[in-house]
Amino acid sequence: MRVVSETRRGSVLPDSRDGRCNRFHFEESWVGMAECDQIIENNWRDLVAPVRLGGVCDNIGHCTASLGSWNSMNRASLRRGINTKRLELASLNRSVLSDSWRDIQLASARRKYNEILGLSDEMGCWHSDPGSIHRIVALLAKQGCRLINQPGSLTGRVLKHIYFPRTSFLRVKALASASLMWHSILWGRSLIEKGSRWRVGSGSLVSILQDRWLPRPSSFKVIAGCSFAGDSVVASLKSTSRAWNSILVRNSFAHIDAECIPSLPTSLRSCPDKLLWHFSKDGKYSVKSGYWLASSLGQDGISSSYSIVGSRWSLLAARRVHVGAGCPLCDASVDSVFHSLWSCRSLVDSKAAVPFLSDLRLPTVGSFFDFLLACNGSLLVHKMELLLVLLWRFWFRRNRTVYIVPLLSVEETVGWSELYLADYKAAVAAPFFRCGSVVERWQAPSPGWVKINSDVTVDVWGRRLGFGVVFRDSVGKVLMSYTSLLLGLFSSDIGEALTILLSFCLAIDMGLSTVCVESDAVSVVKQLSSRVFSFSDIGLILDDILSLVVDFADLSFSSVRRSANKVAHGLTKFALSHQPVSV
């Protein structure tokens, strides 16, 4: 119950703070309070009959003024009591719970920089070793991959609505006010960024210079720059037939990048661009591969945007290799694999003793793997072989110097490498006995069927593929044989899938309806038979093959040994040594 007094006298009370007048409110909580009853009894005056309205209003005004003053004093006393209790509580936290208080403050400071210094298991035991940190970041990265691959899930929709409603998970920035759960997932995202790249479909969403799309760890990016602008997309590198424009690629990129781009397979259809995990065969993230990458992030000077404590020495310390911050031979501030095997000042004399190394001019590289790729594109085969043996000897020389005796001489380094390579080549060239194996022969198909045998040969040093396809009927008669040559360095599985796709296109042109496809690529045949395709580059080709299946009345896939696929294999050798295309 609230009673509002609006009389001509004493109806309002002036506010002592700013001089404004406030209406008086009688609070229901005052009813039954002894102090309130006493104030009304002391200020209410007896009225003489006849009772006039003015006398009643005077009494109400006196009671209003007294109750207002009494209420102001009570509120001031209550505020003082609250402040006193706050001070007592703060003093109690600082004195009795001083250790916990400092832990809370340190945890808040660590949260700002997203550093995880250790983990606590189910038993409450504390673990700060790098292996535990790597395991947890690999598990967190799996949650991030689920947000990327399953955006329509309940968890994905909720997190997108809260943290990144107008952008993507890969581009959202960390907020200091976000929850610990979200900061942990973003910590796992840093591992995804290190091991993922784009699988180019149409290429309309992939930037040439900014995105990671080349199959070349650890950068996955264009190394030496190109003539395209920063906003150019990969789709501009393709021709109208959706194949790579080889002339444009050679004229626009450096040699090291121009050789890598044609090694990416293209699709006959306009497939969407998709993010894949580079360090697994099927292109899908696994905790095992994520743990391996997290354990090796610090070895080539690669560091995560979030602190991964101790990842620098996870593998080197296990082999008792020097894990200090600097180089133990030349006192350089940075000691990486690239520095230890190439740029260390202690290697100057050894490199000068090899003529082609002193004249070697390479572009700026970001890792040791990029350095090897640049050397592979600049050196001849025999020089590249000697360089690899020298790098192996440099590593042995470094470890021997740190732990055993002084530096090996130039003769002991370069001379030993040349002699070792010569002995290895002589051993490879010597004849050796081959054990017998089960020979499987080619079998004719059923009447009315046509059997297609396909094979591919990969010429690694020539960076090209040789295709061979042969069509035979139920009596073994050759209907057609086909050979072709494709420039680019592909894996054997991708080459086999491209050959099967080529044979499908030829069968459609010939008007065949019932065919049996045989290949010696067991993994490719298994995927085609199960129709469960991977997220990797080969998935593009398998999807194209599946789209052509509807053009056949009946179709089967089978895997055979090389002995039953000799004709197709011989055609691949013919393709590499003779005409590019032969029918």
Side-chain angles (χ1 to χ4, degrees), residues 536-555:
S536 59
D537 294 325
I538 196 176
L540 281 175
I541 309 169
L542 299 181
D543 286 337
D544 288 343
I545 296 175
L546 183 61
S547 66
L548 300 178
V549 170
V550 295
D551 295 329
F552 299 93
D554 206 349
L555 178 68

Side-chain angles (χ1 to χ4, degrees), residues 20 131 206 264 314 321 343 390 431 441 491-492 512 548:
R20 294 180 300 176
V206 183
L264 288 171
S314 57
V321 179
S343 60
L390 281 170
R441 297 184 180 277
S491 65
S492 58
L512 303 179
L548 300 178

Side-chain angles (χ1 to χ4, degrees), residues 440-445 451 453 472-473 475-476 518 563-565:
E440 182 179 350
R441 297 184 180 277
W442 181 86
Q443 296 180 357
K451 179 171 286 189
N453 288 87
R472 285 175 284 192
D473 58 13
V475 297
E518 282 188 351
S563 57
N565 206 31

Side-chain angles (χ1 to χ4, degrees), residues 399-411:
N399 293 338
R400 187 172 182 268
T401 302
V402 171
Y403 293 103
I404 304 178
V405 294
L407 283 173
L408 293 175
S409 64
V410 176
E411 292 75 14

Side-chain angles (χ1 to χ4, degrees), residues 313-343:
W313 57 267
S314 57
L315 181 61
L316 296 180
R319 298 182 179 181
R320 302 186 64 187
V321 179
H322 175 75
V323 294
C327 177
L329 301 183
C330 66
D331 297 329
S333 58
V334 178
D335 185 22
S336 62
V337 175
F338 178 73
H339 174 84
S340 301
L341 299 182
W342 185 254
S343 60

